[in-house]
Amino acid sequence: MQRRRFLSLGAALALGPLLTRPARADAGHAAMGHAAMGSAAAREGLPAAADFGLPAGLPLPGLPRLANQARSGGFDGELIAGEARLPLLPGKPATAFWAYNGQLPGPAIEVFEGEEVRIRFINRLPQATTVHWHGLPIPADQDGNPHNPVRPGEEREYRFVLPAGSAGSYWYHPHPHGHTAEQVYMGLAGMFVVKSRQDPLSHLPEQWLALSDLKLDAQGRVAANDDADRMDGREGQFVLVNRAWRPRLVLGEGERQRWRIWNVTSARVLKLALPAHDALLVGSDGGLLAAPRPVRELLLAPGERAELVVTGRFRAGQPSRLLALPYARGKMMGPEQTEAIDLMEVARGAATSAAPLPETLRDIAPLPAAAVSRRVAFSEDMANPTAMFLINGKTFDMERVDFVGKAGEVEEWEIDNQADMDHPFHIHGTQFQVVSRLDGGVWRAEPYLAWRDVVNVPPGGKVKLRFRQDLPGLRMFHCHILEHEDAGMMGMLDVRA
Ligand SMILES: [Cu+2]
């Protein structure tokens, strides 16, 4: 309904470029394909990926670690957010980004459970910012809420202890009021891994893969968001892996590797596949599963992470590549993804005997029945350009607490997507367990336990999840399509002691 209202009122909305797209007017939800809309690269006269001459097939870059300056225990590090010019396009001047410590992605932080982390953060951006520690169970006043901005030229310390059981793959990124999308697409994001001293997979070689989006304009600059980006969430011409385009990872024949994968794109739902090889899902956002699970495809929503154990098989007739298979996410303006995106080459290394893999990884106890039940409905009101993306009918308000909870109490939330696009739900400060999902009109119990902080909810879908917030304070919950978050698809849970 809302989509039709949007179409009929389109002329009144001053969404200029929309009106120049004749294919849009009669494009139904299912018909917004490639043919009708043209390729993403053709949008707004943007050049295609191939036009930039970005080299493909270079060795996968590593993710340099942030140096630990602590003299006795814990982790002391320094992050400076600022402008950085980095060589990107062959034969062209360096490209201007915003980066942490001049690195793309930002320096990876690697710490152990139980450690205290102290980060001195300096803002040399022209805007206020914060550092949000995505997924970490840390105090609210250290978590980079939009209520605690670090203004240009200012600095602050973030300090927190990582509790036992928190080993997992997290990340950090800005979370300022209204400017999260812009600061992330300009380059501000870094990976954060918490390790356990009792890690049953510590014997496996690790690969860290940060999947990010890059959109360049005709001059090779990081492009500003256009109307389609603001509506659908930004997608660029490139999906990069550790800042490289279609890099090459070496996997031995028969070798087992542990891959940590981050979707740090603004909006892409990545349907990952590795057709020539065997993959086991061993971890989610908040660390290891109870036991490995064979997977053929892995849906990774914006902000979400996964851990795989990959075994080199090099099956004949299958591309030895990491792919993002076509996935339609109900976009309003842009074309849907109709072809697989080639993310990375997996090159054949020397034959290696597979390292042993334990049958169980750790215990995960199901959260008990909830003391409190709440409902979170995502909706879109395309007739209202100042409040298009809504939670329970409201747009985000920095002064409004949406729910009041109690520390230590289990809550069950039903996330109800009444909108036309996929919206990935994210909550700060804790990890949740998905209990069940409404899929094609049928509720299905979640087949396995996992700790998550992002779950994708497709249009018409519902997800029931349970969590406990152990620490008091103000916690944001929002859609992790960053443009939707900035446009108001966010609320606040005040957890009281
Ligand atoms: Cu959204």
Side-chain angles (χ1 to χ4, degrees), residues 243-288:
R243 79 180 167 277
W245 190 44
R246 297 181 182 165
R248 180 169 48 88
L249 173 150
V250 178
L251 176 66
E253 181 133 26
E255 184 187 8
R256 276 200 178 120
Q257 294 183 350
R258 177 188 198 171
W259 291 10
R260 296 178 189 263
I261 309 178
W262 286 259
N263 181 348
V264 300
T265 68
S266 297
R268 287 181 188 270
V269 179
L270 297 169
K271 189 178 186 180
L272 300 175
L274 201 57
H277 305 286
D278 291 343
L280 296 166
L281 181 67
V282 295
S284 52
D285 301 318
L288 294 174

Side-chain angles (χ1 to χ4, degrees), residues 389 422-424 479-481 484 489:
F389 296 101
D422 286 32
H423 294 290
C479 171
H480 217 282
I481 290 178
H484 295 175
M489 205 172 231

Side-chain angles (χ1 to χ4, degrees), residues 1-162:
M1 292 300 113
Q2 283 158 338
R3 182 180 294 267
R4 265 182 229 121
R5 221 159 104 217
F6 169 57
L7 292 175
S8 60
L9 294 175
L13 294 184
L15 289 167
L18 179 68
L19 306 176
T20 64
R21 289 190 185 110
R24 183 68 190 84
D26 56 1
H29 200 149
M32 297 178 68
H34 209 81
M37 300 298 295
S39 74
R43 264 179 37 202
E44 313 288 315
L46 279 178
D51 296 343
F52 292 100
L54 208 58
L58 297 178
L60 175 72
L63 294 175
R65 308 294 195 263
L66 184 64
N68 183 4
Q69 300 163 347
R71 299 200 177 168
S72 56
F75 188 98
D76 275 313
E78 184 176 272
L79 287 177
I80 302 173
E83 297 180 12
R85 293 189 167 269
L86 299 167
L88 177 76
L89 302 172
K92 296 265 175 64
T95 305
F97 291 95
W98 291 350
Y100 292 113
N101 297 6
Q103 282 177 234
L104 270 188
I109 299 176
E110 186 176 359
V111 292
F112 279 89
E113 286 178 349
E115 283 189 322
E116 184 177 73
V117 178
R118 299 167 294 266
I119 303 287
R120 180 181 178 222
F121 172 68
I122 301 165
N123 180 10
R124 294 205 183 121
L125 298 171
Q127 295 178 353
T129 189
T130 76
V131 185
H132 168 53
W133 310 95
H134 180 122
L136 288 173
I138 59 170
D141 62 355
Q142 304 300 308
D143 203 20
N145 278 342
H147 307 74
N148 307 117
V150 181
R151 297 194 166 77
E154 290 184 353
E155 64 173 82
R156 70 160 282 176
E157 184 193 59
Y158 292 100
R159 181 189 283 249
F160 45 84
V161 177
L162 297 161

Side-chain angles (χ1 to χ4, degrees), residues 294-337:
V295 280
R296 297 185 62 79
E297 294 169 359
L298 175 67
L299 207 65
L300 211 59
E304 192 175 0
R305 293 85 67 208
E307 290 181 62
L308 297 178
V309 168
V310 174
T311 307
R313 296 291 181 218
F314 298 91
R315 272 184 212 99
Q318 298 288 347
S320 182
R321 312 194 74 92
L322 178 65
L323 303 174
L325 301 178
Y327 182 84
R329 56 183 183 87
K331 286 196 260 179
M332 294 283 179
M333 293 178 71
E336 295 289 6
Q337 182 201 342

Side-chain angles (χ1 to χ4, degrees), residues 30 83 91 131 164 169 303 362 394 404 428 480:
E83 297 180 12
V131 185
S169 311
R362 68 158 162 176
K394 296 173 196 154
V404 175
H428 292 193
H480 217 282

